[in-house]
Amino acid sequence: MRDKLENWINWILYDELIDGKINAPKYLLGNHDYGDGQVITCFKPHSQSVSIKTPSGKKVVPLEKISEEGFYGAYFSKKKYNGNNYRLVTEYYDGTTVESADCYSFDGLFTDYDAYLFAEGKNYDIYNKMGAHPMTINGVKGTYFAVWAPDARRVSVVGDFNMWDGALNPMQIHSASGVYELFIPDVLPGAVYKFQILTRYGDILYKADPYGNQDQMRPDNANIVVDIGDLKWTDDAWIANRKKTDRVTRLKKPMSIYECHLGSWKKKDEDSDFGFYNYREYAKQIGKYLVDMGYTHIELMGIAEYPFDGSWGYQVTNYYAPTSRYGTPEDFAYFIDYMHSLGIGVILDWVPAHFPRDAHGLGRFDGMPLYENADPRKGEHPDWGTYIFDYGRNEVVNFLTSNALFWVEKYHIDGLRVDAVASMLYLDYGKRDGEWVANKNGGKENLEAIALLQNINEVMEERNPGAYLIAEESTAWPGVTAPADMDGLGFLFKWNMGWMNDFLEYMKLDPYFRKFNHNKLTFSLSYTYAENYILVISHDEVVHLKCSMLNKMPGLEFDKFANLRIAYGFMLGHPGKKLLFMGQDFAQVREWSEARSLDWYLLDNPLHKGMQEYVKALNHLYTKYDAMYFNDNDVMGFEWTKVDDADSGIVAFVRRGKTTKDQIMFICNFVPVERKEYKIGVPCLTTYKEILSSDDKKYGGLGRNLGPKKAIKAQKESADRMKYSVTIDVPPLSVTVLKYDYKE
């Protein structure tokens, strides 16, 4: 029998096994037919003996120890054990006995068709194969692992279940795909693991799973086995309704977005780096706040796992795992589900533009450039110190496309805001001459990144109708929100960075100088229909010595608040969806920091409380009247009624909805001068009623507004560019909002 066994053994593979270099262990280990009989072999280093037994335990047969390194085997003249219907019983010198099924007796699950689609960049469900997936095979509980590492010499699963010993569970390579896989019995949810990679140069790397679904809390960086196949959801009606919402319908709905960094919204313990609330606790607290304040959506900064708090989630190391700072995947799913139960849409920041160099992350994953381009002129951001994804490699394209789908399909995310799109579109972004390579046409456009973004948007729309992507794109790239089949990028929305920059520069000015910069206030309306825009005042505007929104405003305290109220009022009236970063709705004084909670104590101050009430009123006004959003992308939805008189500091405009009822007029006074009995043009001869004034005492003003009970009748006297006019008192540094029904 020993001769039969030794004749069967491939001694080259044996040497590779002993040397820790084997990449096809199933050709040597496990259960194999041999003529009319079979061979069973295993490798158990540091063991005294190994036996096999049937699952029922009726018969135990010792295996022969072939070498002192721990290689065992036996030849059976008849086929006694089918597939994996046996168990290995290993005894160690310290008296420990371990019993388990044989991981090398299970067939692989990564199919040739999987490999074909992956190589084509079109295996969009790849996250169901790659990573770690608890499952039961033939009655045996365990976890299936799969990882892409084509340049590795050997890949092993290591973890707290095998003493982090790479010799114990080397993985099986799948043909030429570069994918390694292995089902390991008895590895259950909660197990901690990494991939140990032997590079072609003989180095040993310990890498986190690129497709892993849960990570250890920082500063540890291993993965945790978790089953996300059975997350609990109660939002069936929400998802069904979302599927019925096409692009055109989505554009006509209100969006008032609350941008939020969970960890610094509130902290349990300000003195602890780990003093966060759980996702479930945040859901209850933030959800109540959003509903009360009238927001329609929440946008979460940086949820995909990241090691450094100061990166705010934009230096991602694990793209398929919600950060463990705030709890488990089940907790995160609860957060989303709870938001949907309140009618709040959830947008997630997503970072496909670059990734960090952390040793356990994607960089040089198998010892060679894999996820990043090998040419540093294409694969590195010199200013950011990060790697750039290789958008020309199909498997990397598949990784990113599937990741976008993953958050929507597994976690019911409603939209993805794509970070730093401009850095993806331009090959010379942030680079000097000699630091970048032109495309095949000699231009600076990144053709491969363009194709990726177009494909993601097309696939998302096809597979998940109603879900959408938003571009943070800071240049004038044409057609960002045009459909991909019309040579656009296919995004549904684009952040209006031009409006934000111009408007904030205008608002920072002393009111005396605003008349010389009137174009900064009005220019955005010349291009507002070029894209589907979201007006944003994001976290980027209140960090790095840029000051909080309140401290951007000129003047002493009272004037700062008045200026900020008019800024938010004008923003509300301007065409485009809205986004405001947390804390700015109650006039946070300090710049934002991820290391501390928002300054909620400021709400004890009447001015800050008044600001919060004002933003609340703006949001509820916005969602109540469809004139504020229905025609954001149609020229009929907006018209200036007063715009040319820069010296006066006053502009006025109207917003129109889907009917002639409840149309809205804004009168904005950007200077600290009260205009008594001021004549201003209006669009029709009807009655106008004040529905909001930023100078109302309840918002922190002096109460010089008209009051909601006073009706204002238009006169047949032309003013500005209108045939008709009203005469009203316009408070200084104020926004007055009027409602009317249009009449011919």
Side-chain angles (χ1 to χ4, degrees):
M1 296 296 185
R2 174 69 179 252
D3 290 344
K4 286 276 191 180
L5 177 61
E6 292 188 351
N7 286 337
W8 179 86
I9 294 171
N10 183 324
W11 293 101
I12 295 176
L13 289 179
Y14 170 82
D15 289 339
E16 290 184 348
L17 175 69
I18 300 304
D19 292 341
K21 298 179 179 178
I22 194 166
N23 63 9
K26 287 187 179 181
Y27 295 154
L28 179 64
L29 304 175
N31 185 0
H32 301 271
D33 291 344
Y34 185 33
D36 294 331
Q38 67 185 142
V39 169
I40 294 179
T41 61
C42 67
F43 184 54
K44 301 293 183 180
H46 316 299
S47 63
Q48 183 176 359
S49 66
V50 178
S51 301
I52 62 173
K53 71 174 186 179
T54 60
S56 65
K58 292 180 178 179
K59 187 174 183 180
V60 177
V61 178
L63 296 181
E64 186 173 353
K65 195 170 190 177
I66 308 300
S67 69
E68 289 303 315
E69 287 84 0
F71 183 65
Y72 296 82
Y75 169 75
F76 301 91
S77 57
K78 295 182 179 180
K79 297 175 182 177
K80 297 183 178 181
Y81 305 97
N82 297 321
N84 45 54
N85 68 337
Y86 65 93
R87 296 181 70 81
L88 298 175
V89 181
T90 306
E91 294 184 4
Y92 292 91
Y93 288 104
D94 63 359
T96 303
T97 299
V98 177
E99 179 182 329
S100 70
D102 183 358
C103 61
Y104 296 103
S105 66
F106 293 84
D107 292 333
L109 301 179
F110 196 80
T111 67
D112 290 342
Y113 189 58
D114 285 328
Y116 166 75
L117 289 178
F118 187 48
E120 291 289 310
K122 297 180 179 179
N123 194 335
Y124 299 134
D125 298 312
I126 193 68
Y127 51 77
N128 288 325
K129 285 290 179 73
M130 295 290 195
H133 301 279
M135 60 182 63
T136 300
I137 301 178
N138 296 336
V140 178
K141 292 183 178 180
T143 297
Y144 171 76
F145 297 90
V147 64
W148 179 54
D151 288 311
R153 183 64 184 85
R154 184 262 301 163
V155 181
S156 295
V157 184
V158 295
D160 57 3
F161 46 85
N162 63 10
M163 300 170 290
W164 301 90
D165 187 345
L168 298 182
N169 293 120
M171 304 176 75
Q172 177 77 15
I173 193 169
H174 178 273
S175 64
S177 67
V179 173
Y180 286 79
E181 61 176 339
L182 190 65
F183 174 74
I184 306 180
D186 304 322
V187 174
L188 303 178
V192 178
Y193 74 99
K194 276 189 177 183
F195 293 118
Q196 186 195 76
I197 297 175
L198 174 66
T199 74
R200 296 286 175 179
Y201 299 100
D203 297 322
I204 297 289
L205 307 177
Y206 289 86
K207 289 289 189 176
D209 183 354
Y211 290 86
N213 296 137
Q214 185 177 358
D215 286 2
Q216 290 178 305
M217 178 66 170
R218 56 161 174 72
D220 299 323
N221 49 43
N223 300 99
I224 300 172
V225 175
V226 62
D227 186 358
I228 64 168
D230 192 28
L231 298 173
K232 307 302 181 186
W233 299 101
T234 63
D235 63 351
D236 291 351
W238 175 277
I239 298 300
N241 185 62
R242 190 175 78 183
K243 290 179 179 178
K244 300 175 184 177
T245 309
D246 59 18
R247 285 177 67 95
V248 174
T249 304
R250 175 71 60 192
L251 293 174
K252 293 184 176 296
K253 287 183 172 291
M255 288 184 73
S256 180
I257 304 167
Y258 186 73
E259 188 189 22
C260 181
H261 179 268
L262 283 181
S264 59
W265 190 76
K266 281 183 183 177
K267 290 185 70 173
K268 272 187 176 180
D269 184 354
E270 291 289 349
D271 297 323
S272 171
D273 288 338
F274 302 92
F276 303 118
Y277 287 99
N278 182 274
Y279 285 115
R280 295 171 186 266
E281 295 171 306
Y282 278 125
K284 296 292 179 68
Q285 296 182 59
I286 294 176
K288 180 180 179 181
Y289 186 79
L290 295 174
V291 171
D292 180 60
M293 289 293 293
Y295 291 102
T296 64
H297 294 71
I298 183 171
E299 179 176 320
L300 298 176
M301 291 170 58
I303 288 299
E305 191 61 83
Y306 57 101
F308 177 48
D309 285 18
S311 78
W312 311 333
Y314 299 110
Q315 301 277 4
V316 180
T317 50
N318 290 78
Y319 276 77
Y320 286 81
T323 178
S324 293
R325 287 167 175 80
Y326 319 124
T328 66
E330 292 86 354
D331 296 331
F332 180 61
Y334 177 90
F335 182 97
I336 308 303
D337 194 58
Y338 189 78
M339 290 298 121
H340 287 168
S341 74
L342 300 177
I344 302 295
V346 183
I347 300 167
L348 194 67
D349 279 3
W350 187 54
V351 192
H354 63 122
F355 58 92
R357 297 172 178 264
D358 296 68
H360 69 283
L362 298 178
R364 304 297 193 262
F365 185 79
D366 55 7
M368 299 291 287
L370 185 62
Y371 288 89
E372 69 274 33
N373 196 293
D375 187 338
R377 296 174 298 173
K378 295 181 178 181
E380 298 181 17
H381 273 303
D383 289 343
W384 297 349
T386 54
Y387 289 123
I388 302 172
F389 282 103
D390 186 351
Y391 304 115
R393 190 163 192 169
N394 285 344
E395 295 88 348
V396 176
V397 168
N398 204 143
F399 173 83
L400 292 172
T401 306
S402 298
N403 187 240
L405 296 169
F406 169 83
W407 292 108
V408 172
E409 295 173 358
K410 287 293 187 181
Y411 284 106
H412 296 197
I413 295 296
D414 299 294
L416 298 173
R417 174 264 193 186
V418 185
D419 182 66
V421 170
S423 74
M424 299 174 67
L425 296 176
Y426 298 96
L427 293 165
D428 64 342
Y429 186 92
K431 298 178 180 180
R432 297 184 291 270
D433 290 344
E435 293 180 342
W436 62 283
V437 180
N439 63 33
K440 63 182 181 181
N441 301 321
K444 61 182 180 180
E445 300 82 10
N446 191 329
L447 304 179
E448 295 156 340
I450 294 168
L452 168 70
L453 294 172
Q454 289 176 325
N455 186 61
I456 288 175
N457 279 294
E458 286 186 315
V459 173
M460 184 65 75
E461 188 171 350
E462 178 182 343
R463 287 178 54 132
N464 302 285
Y468 50 89
L469 278 77
I470 301 166
E472 185 219 10
E473 202 284 308
S474 55
T475 73
W477 186 278
V480 171
T481 58
D485 58 11
M486 297 176 61
D487 293 327
L489 295 181
F491 289 93
L492 184 59
F493 295 108
K494 172 182 173 175
W495 274 20
N496 196 335
M497 312 289 277
W499 170 85
M500 177 191 68
N501 290 326
D502 286 347
F503 184 60
L504 292 184
E505 287 302 314
Y506 177 84
M507 291 305 305
K508 290 176 188 177
L509 293 170
D510 182 289
Y512 175 79
F513 295 103
R514 286 175 178 167
K515 62 184 177 182
F516 304 115
N517 293 270
H518 194 62
N519 64 310
K520 292 187 184 304
L521 181 67
T522 61
F523 177 65
S524 58
L525 270 301
S526 68
Y527 62 83
T528 196
Y529 305 112
E531 303 279 5
N532 306 325
Y533 282 117
I534 297 177
L535 307 184
V536 295
I537 298 178
S538 73
H539 66 277
D540 278 330
E541 306 316 306
V542 293
V543 292
H544 303 322
L545 302 180
K546 294 180 182 178
C547 300
S548 65
M549 281 298 293
L550 183 67
N551 279 332
K552 292 182 196 296
M553 302 297 111
L556 299 176
E557 183 182 52
F558 184 84
D559 287 336
K560 285 181 178 294
F561 277 90
N563 273 290
L564 189 55
R565 288 194 298 270
I566 190 177
Y568 290 160
F570 181 81
M571 175 182 178
L572 182 90
H574 192 292
K577 311 310 180 186
K578 324 297 178 188
L579 178 145
L580 195 63
F581 182 56
M582 65 180 195
Q584 304 316 311
D585 52 5
F586 62 80
Q588 172 98 4
V589 177
R590 294 190 292 179
E591 283 190 339
W592 169 66
S593 169
E594 83 286 343
R596 61 175 182 257
S597 297
L598 296 179
D599 295 333
W600 294 101
Y601 62 85
L602 291 173
L603 291 173
D604 293 335
N605 181 317
L607 283 173
H608 291 277
K609 183 62 177 176
M611 181 64 72
Q612 185 188 53
E613 290 298 317
Y614 175 65
V615 174
K616 176 180 176 178
L618 288 176
N619 280 335
H620 284 284
L621 183 149
Y622 172 71
T623 54
K624 181 178 180 179
Y625 298 108
D626 67 25
M628 303 306 302
Y629 56 81
F630 189 81
N631 289 313
D632 273 337
N633 303 96
D634 192 315
V635 292
M636 72 167 290
F638 176 93
E639 182 182 6
W640 290 112
T641 58
K642 183 180 183 67
V643 68
D644 299 327
D645 187 4
D647 289 339
S648 72
I650 292 180
V651 297
F653 54 88
V654 296
R655 297 299 311 273
R656 303 186 183 94
K658 56 185 175 182
T659 71
T660 58
K661 299 287 188 181
D662 292 339
Q663 297 189 4
I664 307 296
M665 180 172 180
F666 283 74
I667 302 170
C668 305
N669 185 359
F670 287 95
V671 296
V673 178
E674 184 176 11
R675 308 289 185 178
K676 286 284 190 179
E677 298 185 352
Y678 190 76
K679 182 181 289 189
I680 192 164
V682 293
C684 62
L685 193 63
T686 187
T687 299
Y688 296 78
K689 181 180 180 181
E690 180 185 279
I691 56 175
L692 185 140
S693 170
S694 65
D695 197 51
D696 197 309
K697 287 183 178 180
K698 62 186 175 184
Y699 305 138
L702 294 179
R704 293 162 293 190
N705 51 305
L706 304 173
K709 295 182 179 180
K710 183 177 180 181
I712 311 160
K713 293 186 178 180
Q715 305 163 338
K716 291 183 178 180
E717 296 181 16
S718 63
D720 306 313
R721 302 190 299 174
M722 301 287 110
K723 293 182 179 179
Y724 313 105
S725 63
V726 294
T727 300
I728 63 173
D729 295 339
V730 181
L733 294 175
S734 69
V735 174
T736 301
V737 184
L738 306 176
K739 179 174 72 75
Y740 65 97
D741 294 338
Y742 184 80
K743 294 182 179 180
E744 293 290 344

